[in-house]
Amino acid sequence: MDTPNSQEIEVAGKVITLTRQIESRLVALGASGNGLREKSESLAGKFPREVEKLLAFIGCIRNRIAHEDQPGISPEELQFFEEAVAAVLEELKLPGETAAESAGTPAATLPPPPPPSAPAPAPVSPPEPAVSATPEKPAARPNSPRSRAASSQPAVPPPSRPELVPSLAGRIPLLHLAYAVELAYTALRPTRRPLFLALLEVGAVVLAVFALLDGIYYLAGLAGSIFLLSYAAILYEGWFRSAERLPLAFFLIPGANLLWVLRELLRLTGWFRLAAAFTILAVWVVAILLALRREFSAAGVLALLSYLVSVAATFLPGGGSGE
């Protein structure tokens, strides 16, 4: 393995330092979790889509520095990384905070303004570019990190799903049911990866058992392959990518690795949103059952209660589906 040179060490230190600034800012805004990815996912929907894409790019560069022996960060990527960090810190400013404080520079260390008596220097206009006879090719790299994030970057994932149901729909009868479904989705969105892996592993075990009992051995083999894939994925996610690890034995023992999944579900699920969505939909279902039994008065009261819970959820902190 090659020994990193001084330039690579300097680049790695700069990437880790800037990433920690963003993590500290996310924690100050109420984020939870380990690492930049989990902290940003815990605040999913609170920032513009461009900021979420920039956070994904920053996390990708940080993971390359932390986990690859030769990350190979080009000067263009490093410059884009620094500009992306500056843009994200600008978006994550706390109320009443200056731009210097958001970037981690105390206001007291800024150079003092010139005295009132000193004449202001005359603005220097940039020299006009010489006109060439042949038009030059436009630069392939965009000018700002936001425009670059919109372009096709291999390190940046595709745009996130746009908000389908605005929180205003929670204040409109019948539409508040779609709002409740959106609440449930956003409550479980940060846990979609561990939840999917857990369901895949448990489903593969159940399918293998029934296939063996029925003598369908090729189906049992397929279920066993799915189980091994999900088992390996949970081992990778929990042991190699999680900053706060459980003991390795939990991931090597089949079934015990689901304890990591349970911890992720308890830690990342938006329980307020999930409870509000369940209340809205459950009360509405009971109202429909009462209406089918011709108990219209009770059904109307429960339907109104479902609507009022939906309206209250749109006003309470964390209740908006697209915050």
Side-chain angles (χ1 to χ4, degrees):
M1 183 174 60
D2 297 335
T3 303
N5 55 38
S6 58
Q7 183 178 3
E8 292 175 344
I9 295 175
E10 181 182 356
V11 169
K14 180 180 293 186
V15 168
I16 292 175
T17 300
L18 293 176
T19 305
R20 285 177 178 172
Q21 289 183 13
I22 295 180
E23 290 184 18
S24 300
R25 185 49 47 91
L26 290 173
V27 171
L29 294 173
S32 61
N34 302 305
L36 179 62
R37 177 177 63 88
E38 292 185 2
K39 287 183 175 67
S40 58
E41 285 185 350
S42 68
L43 298 177
K46 285 191 175 182
F47 310 123
R49 302 300 178 191
E50 293 144 346
V51 175
E52 292 183 355
K53 290 189 287 183
L54 290 176
L55 285 171
F57 172 79
I58 294 169
C60 178
I61 295 297
R62 191 267 176 198
N63 289 340
R64 283 169 57 184
I65 288 291
H67 301 299
E68 297 182 12
D69 294 334
Q70 295 180 341
I73 306 299
S74 65
E76 290 79 9
E77 282 183 310
L78 180 61
Q79 181 182 0
F80 179 35
F81 176 84
E82 293 174 343
E83 294 175 358
V85 169
V88 170
L89 288 175
E90 179 68 21
E91 288 287 342
L92 301 184
K93 283 194 304 184
L94 297 175
E97 186 179 34
T98 63
E101 292 169 339
S102 69
T105 305
T109 62
L110 294 177
S117 58
V124 179
S125 59
E128 296 183 0
V131 180
S132 175
T134 60
E136 293 185 358
K137 229 172 147 184
R141 185 166 53 87
N143 295 326
S144 66
R146 288 178 181 267
S147 59
R148 293 187 199 180
S151 63
S152 58
Q153 287 282 347
V156 180
S160 304
R161 177 190 61 86
E163 180 184 352
L164 298 178
V165 182
S167 53
L168 179 62
R171 306 170 196 172
I172 302 175
L174 295 183
L175 278 181
H176 76 282
L177 299 177
Y179 166 75
V181 174
E182 177 83 358
L183 272 184
Y185 175 82
T186 54
L188 295 172
R189 183 181 176 188
T191 63
R192 61 189 182 277
R193 186 182 289 108
L195 182 61
F196 170 75
L197 292 176
L199 293 176
L200 196 64
E201 180 172 314
V202 173
V205 171
V206 173
L207 180 61
V209 170
F210 279 99
L212 288 174
L213 292 176
D214 290 342
I216 310 176
Y217 298 110
Y218 72 90
L219 186 58
L222 176 62
S225 301
I226 296 175
F227 169 79
L228 290 177
L229 288 175
S230 61
Y231 172 78
I234 291 179
L235 175 62
Y236 173 74
E237 288 282 335
W239 179 252
F240 293 102
R241 293 190 60 181
S242 178
E244 182 184 352
R245 300 172 180 170
L246 292 174
L248 183 60
F250 284 105
F251 299 99
L252 297 180
I253 301 174
N257 57 359
L258 297 180
L259 291 176
W260 171 78
V261 175
L262 178 62
R263 188 193 69 165
E264 295 296 290
L265 293 178
L266 293 175
R267 187 164 57 89
L268 298 177
T269 300
W271 294 106
F272 170 81
R273 293 181 174 186
L274 193 61
F278 177 80
T279 303
I280 294 168
L281 296 175
V283 173
W284 186 263
V285 169
V286 174
I288 293 176
L289 294 177
L290 289 176
L292 293 176
R293 296 175 56 182
R294 298 183 179 277
E295 299 180 21
F296 298 111
S297 299
V301 170
L302 289 181
L304 179 62
L305 178 61
S306 171
Y307 170 68
L308 292 178
V309 172
S310 176
V311 172
T314 63
F315 286 104
L316 292 176
S321 61
E323 58 178 7

